[in-house]
Amino acid sequence: MLSSSSSCFEDCTLFSSFPNGKVTVSTPNLHMCRIGYIEEVAALIDLNMTIHFKHNKGKYKVELQGLDSLACIEKDGYQHLLAYVMWERELILESCHKLTTCFPSDMKNRLLFQHLEQLYVEDCECLRVIFESNDFGGTELSSMRLSSLPKLKYIWRGHPGPLSSFTNLKSLHIKECHDMKFVFPNVSVAMSLSRLRSLTVKKCNQMEEIIQKENVENSFLSKEDKVIFPELYKIVLKKLPELSCFCKSSFRYELSSCEQLNIYECPKMKIFCTGTLCAPQLEYFRVEGMECDVDENINEVIQGRQHGIIYYEAYDMEDSSS
């Protein structure tokens, strides 16, 4: 048994196990392992398994591209992928063109993703749903980036109430998901992401609302309730031609930590929300590249700026990052 909390292997290009052979090297206190001069990887209880998965990461990513659902890894013959996914804290699903649902409701093992911290899904041309079940087990998920998913409709599907598995999500970045009409299916789901700090939505051609209007009959909230995002400090809404507002439900929206609000090329957006809005910490407020007075009424500013030609071209280069 090794008691070290960190390990480093440099200039060991052929190094594939420690020691050689199918031996379990128990490292219960090892949290991080550096392989090479820069890359650090999360460590498993077995150091040999950590090194093995690092060396075979590329191969496993290719194998994942042939699946139509992550539920497939629970079947016989996919034990190596099952073990890899259970180890991976940063899961990248790229060019998985058969994938239609990332996390389906029929997955049996809810502990598969208990260590997952970052999820990146990109260039999956048939993908329609990310999470079909609230209880997917990934309670450590803190960052999610969804990009170039032309058929994606839902991040969360079939969730009428609050989410329990996403309480640690801090960053959500969505780009070029042209079939999506909303990010959150209702206010209850949005509010359950109580630690969300950064929300960016860019270049989604059909996006109409960030939070879909609440169905009164099925709502967990009354009109007197407050919609609170206690840690959300940055909102970027860019190049969303169909976006009408952040949310059409008439609640009081409290963005108590919001410091940055950037709205760019959203021609149909006349107001931010239909209810009242409170953002006392706002320091950076731009509409169409023009910096606005943070003490002005946000709804009135958006309504006024959208009626004229705004000098935003000078800021386009500055804000063109993906």
Side-chain angles (χ1 to χ4, degrees):
M1 179 184 294
L2 299 179
S3 59
S4 175
S5 61
S6 64
S7 294
C8 179
F9 303 101
E10 298 176 356
D11 288 335
C12 304
T13 56
L14 299 179
F15 189 71
S16 61
S17 63
F18 179 94
N20 190 32
K22 294 183 178 180
V23 179
T24 298
V25 181
S26 179
T27 52
N29 298 317
L30 186 65
H31 300 293
M32 194 64 62
C33 179
R34 176 177 292 179
I35 300 177
Y37 288 101
I38 299 176
E39 185 173 9
E40 291 186 345
V41 298
L44 296 170
I45 294 177
D46 181 359
L47 181 56
N48 261 357
M49 292 294 288
T50 300
I51 298 170
H52 171 79
F53 286 135
K54 168 60 182 68
H55 279 288
N56 289 278
K57 187 172 184 176
K59 182 183 75 172
Y60 292 150
K61 284 178 63 176
V62 172
E63 288 193 54
L64 287 171
Q65 291 174 356
L67 304 181
D68 58 12
S69 166
L70 286 182
C72 293
I73 65 176
E74 295 183 307
K75 299 178 181 178
D76 292 340
Y78 290 98
Q79 289 85 352
H80 57 298
L81 285 181
L82 183 68
Y84 165 70
V85 169
M86 291 185 70
W87 163 75
E88 189 61 272
R89 296 187 183 181
E90 179 187 275
L91 183 59
I92 300 174
L93 300 173
E94 184 178 4
S95 301
C96 301
H97 297 310
K98 293 183 179 180
L99 197 66
T100 58
T101 302
C102 277
F103 303 93
S105 57
D106 59 352
M107 292 195 73
K108 299 176 182 178
N109 190 346
R110 299 302 181 192
L111 299 179
L112 277 178
F113 308 101
Q114 61 179 328
H115 300 300
L116 185 62
E117 296 175 0
Q118 300 177 59
L119 175 64
Y120 302 118
V121 188
E122 182 175 2
D123 189 28
C124 301
E125 60 185 21
C126 294
L127 185 64
R128 295 181 179 274
V129 181
I130 303 296
F131 300 102
E132 204 172 48
S133 171
N134 175 20
D135 184 23
F136 91 112
T139 55
E140 297 301 316
L141 185 66
S142 63
S143 176
M144 181 159 45
R145 185 182 184 94
L146 310 174
S147 178
S148 299
L149 306 171
K151 293 186 179 181
L152 182 68
K153 284 185 174 291
Y154 309 102
I155 300 177
W156 296 277
R157 184 170 70 177
H159 301 289
L163 304 174
S164 60
S165 295
F166 302 90
T167 54
N168 283 315
L169 188 65
K170 298 176 182 177
S171 175
L172 178 57
H173 188 287
I174 303 166
K175 179 184 176 184
E176 295 177 348
C177 298
H178 297 308
D179 258 12
M180 286 187 68
K181 293 187 176 182
F182 53 84
V183 176
F184 306 105
N186 52 59
V187 171
S188 299
V189 167
M191 284 182 60
S192 64
L193 309 182
S194 58
R195 300 189 66 184
L196 188 66
R197 293 180 52 78
S198 176
L199 174 63
T200 299
V201 186
K202 297 181 178 181
K203 300 181 181 179
C204 298
N205 291 346
Q206 299 300 319
M207 187 69 65
E208 297 176 359
E209 297 176 86
I210 302 304
I211 306 174
Q212 189 179 36
K213 186 176 181 180
E214 198 84 4
N215 185 325
V216 178
E217 294 181 358
N218 298 328
S219 178
F220 288 80
L221 303 171
S222 66
K223 288 186 176 181
E224 291 73 30
D225 286 328
K226 298 177 181 179
V227 177
I228 303 173
F229 299 90
E231 297 190 18
L232 185 60
Y233 83 94
K234 178 182 178 180
I235 302 173
V236 177
L237 307 174
K238 180 178 179 182
K239 295 187 177 181
L240 306 170
E242 296 297 321
L243 187 71
S244 60
C245 65
F246 189 80
C247 185
K248 294 178 182 177
S249 297
S250 299
F251 297 108
R252 175 179 170 83
Y253 298 86
E254 294 193 358
L255 307 177
S256 55
S257 299
C258 187
E259 298 178 4
Q260 301 179 36
L261 176 59
N262 194 347
I263 301 169
Y264 179 77
E265 286 194 25
C266 301
K268 291 188 177 181
M269 189 175 188
K270 306 305 180 185
I271 58 173
F272 186 81
C273 61
T274 56
T276 58
L277 175 64
C278 178
Q281 302 299 321
L282 194 62
E283 297 179 357
Y284 177 97
F285 177 29
R286 275 187 176 172
V287 179
E288 300 303 329
M290 177 174 278
E291 193 162 350
C292 306
D293 186 348
V294 296
D295 294 323
E296 293 184 43
N297 182 289
I298 292 176
N299 279 343
E300 292 179 2
V301 170
I302 294 172
Q303 200 168 29
R305 299 301 187 205
Q306 299 288 18
H307 285 306
I309 299 174
I310 308 300
Y311 296 98
Y312 58 80
E313 293 183 358
Y315 298 99
D316 192 39
M317 291 293 291
E318 177 184 351
D319 193 35
S320 62
S321 62
S322 59

